[in-house]
């Protein structure tokens, strides 16, 4: 999504842009091919993508020493100084990039001073300098995004969940930001807490375009807070119904918004009638004490009520949970596992994500609480070799947790027990492991995790083979 929105802004400003995405293709050949004829290469980077991003930056610089390398996205925004200190990075953009990248290109054309590009970080003779923070953008300006720049068929997949297949799907955005204050959430540090919606008209226009041009029938809104403005929701749903736009959709909702005082049955009926089939929500924990620590501002009763109301309206609830939180004890984890079992019993369609292990991000309240125990690499290249398991810390780095091995094993079995796949072969392969994982979770048995070792070895062999 970041590549799509950045490319949209750059194209709208009249520049030539090409997009390559390491998630769907090997980018090094393209970087070799195009670096010579390009002025700038822009990389969007999450923490566990640093190795490949550094390699690509090195290749670009070796092919064309004059090329400007700019990094943005979550990792550089969290660590702008150490990122821009790297020899292969010229600029970092902290925060939202659409207007920043265009202004940076103006700077490269000699039309603007770099000090006038807010959000930009760069090196000066006295060290790294970070310009003042950029104001949040109105995403309506970039609607519809330039999907034609992306290799769309590689992104459109089949969406299956809770044993149902919803057909061709794509992730989309209907807004940015979230006004809530959760103490672990990256949005509270990077995304500005100001919520900025796409208008109902623009959402519907984007849906119509994607449906007509690419045959998409299932839309997953991946923005932070879809249901904040009830008037917008009513308008959006009514437009889909009135214009007879037949789609199914998925969005996220805070569990407390399911209170009848917020979302009554009439509204939920309208939401369902317009095609809403799946709602994701962050329940996070079954422990009241931990929910308070998280400043989540939801209760365990909210979770139970939300899942019950989803069942009443035939909407699949996807509930995500966290663990590995500062001060969390086995007793808290047990409460989380009990709540998961209760939600699943109450609504057979409940899909569980996690419990995933908490990732501490600089700037979040919870990070501040445990920062003395966090050991982070001190240079960009240090992150290349930092041991991480798909974005998570390894046990030796989870120093704020009482029993990291127990947690990792629990998280592994829970996620395996809940996992699904659209591939029959993968489902077949996972079946015995899933069964034993479910048994373990139902009986809280976590000792001697031999299946975990076997599963991980087989998975590695499979990944090597493909
Ligand atoms: C949707 C989403 C996904 C979707 C992606 C769908 C898709 N097709 O894009 C899926 C489910 C696939 C996914 C997967 C993962 N995700 Co994710 N995901 C998100 C989520 C919720 C929204 C991201 C998004 O779409 N943002 C919208 C775009 C437009 O905004 P953006 O990415 O922030 O980009 C803007 C700015 O950052 C900036 N910018 C970004 N790049 C650049 C580059 C330049 C040069 C410039 C100038 C500016 C710039 O400008 C952009 C436009 O304003 C975020 C949380 C969040 N709310 O941000 C997590 C998040 C990005 N994911 C995260 C993680 C860890 C993962 C996984 C590793 C999880 C896992 N263990 O598997 C995987 C990695 C996948 C991979 N291929 O490597 C972390 C990243 C943390 C980090 N330290 O880097 C986040 C922040 C969640 C979290 N709170 O921990 N994810
Ligand atoms: S409600 Fe969700 S998006 Fe908003 S701050 Fe909390 S966790 Fe983040």
């Amino acid at each position: 999504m970041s590549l799509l929105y950045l490319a949209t802004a750059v194209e709208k400003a009249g520049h030539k842009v090409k997009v390559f995405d390491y998630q769907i293709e090997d980018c090094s050949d393209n970087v070799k091919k195009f670096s010579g004829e390009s002025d700038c290469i822009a990389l969007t980077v999450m923490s566990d993508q640093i190795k490949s991003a550094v390699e690509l930056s090195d290749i670009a610089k070796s092919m064309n020493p004059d090329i400007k390398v700019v990094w943005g996205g979550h990792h550089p925004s969290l660590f702008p100084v150490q990122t821009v200190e790297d020899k292969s990075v010229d600029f970092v953009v902290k925060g939202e990039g659409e207007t920043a990248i265009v202004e940076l290109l103006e700077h490269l054309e000699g039309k603007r001073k770099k000090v006038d590009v807010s959000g930009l970080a760069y090196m000066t003779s006295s060290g790294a300098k970070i310009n003042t923070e950029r104001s949040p953008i109105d995403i309506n300006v970039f609607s519809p995004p330039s999907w034609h720049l992306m290799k769309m068929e590689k992104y459109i997949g089949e969406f299956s969940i809770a044993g149902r297949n919803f057909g061709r799907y794509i992730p989309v955005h209907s807004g940015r930001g979230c006004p809530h204050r959760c103490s672990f959430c990256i949005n509270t540090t990077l995304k500005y807490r100001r919520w900025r919606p796409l208008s109902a008209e623009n959402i519907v226009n984007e849906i119509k375009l994607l449906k007509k041009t690419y045959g998409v029938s299932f839309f997953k809104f991946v923005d932070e807070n879809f249901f904040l403005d009830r008037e917008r929701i009513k308008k959006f749903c009514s437009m889909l119904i009135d214009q007879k736009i037949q789609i199914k959709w998925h969005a996220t909702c805070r569990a407390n918004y399911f209170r009848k005082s917020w979302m009554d049955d009439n509204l939920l009926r309208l939401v369902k009638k317009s095609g809403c089939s799946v709602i994701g929500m962050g329940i996070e924990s079954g422990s009241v004490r931990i929910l308070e620590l998280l400043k989540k501002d939801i209760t365990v009763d909210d979770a139970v009520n939300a899942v019950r109301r989803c069942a009443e309206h035939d909407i699949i609830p996807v509930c995500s949970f966290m663990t590995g939180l500062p001060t969390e004890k086995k007793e808290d984890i047990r409460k989380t596992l009990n709540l998961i079992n209760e939600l699943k019993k109450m609504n057979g369609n409940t899909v569980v994500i996690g419990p995933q292990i908490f990732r501490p991000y600089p700037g979040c309240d919870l990070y501040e609480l445990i920062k003395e125990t966090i050991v982070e690499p001190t240079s960009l290249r240090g992150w290349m070799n930092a041991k991480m398991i798909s974005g998570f810390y390894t046990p030796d780095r989870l120093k704020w947790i009482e029993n990291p091995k127990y947690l990792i094993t629990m998280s592994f079995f829970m996620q395996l027990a809940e996992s699904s796949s659209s591939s029959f072969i993968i489902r077949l392969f996972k079946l015995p492991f899933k069964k034993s994982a479910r048994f373990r979770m139902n009986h809280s048995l976590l000792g001697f995790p031999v299946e975990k070792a076997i599963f991980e070895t087989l998975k590695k062999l499979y990944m090597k083979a493909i």
Side-chain angles (χ1 to χ4, degrees), residues 34 72 168 190 256 322 326 367 369 372 402 404 446:
F34 293 104
R168 282 166 71 78
L190 289 184
N256 61 331
M322 281 195 299
Y367 180 96
L369 203 70
E372 275 73 34
E402 261 185 9
L446 288 173

Side-chain angles (χ1 to χ4, degrees), residues 178-182 184-185 187-188 224-225 254 284 296:
C178 171
H180 293 278
R181 58 171 193 147
C182 307
F184 59 89
C185 177
N187 301 311
T188 59
E224 287 83 36
N225 196 329
R254 281 174 55 84
E284 322 306 357
K296 187 75 197 181

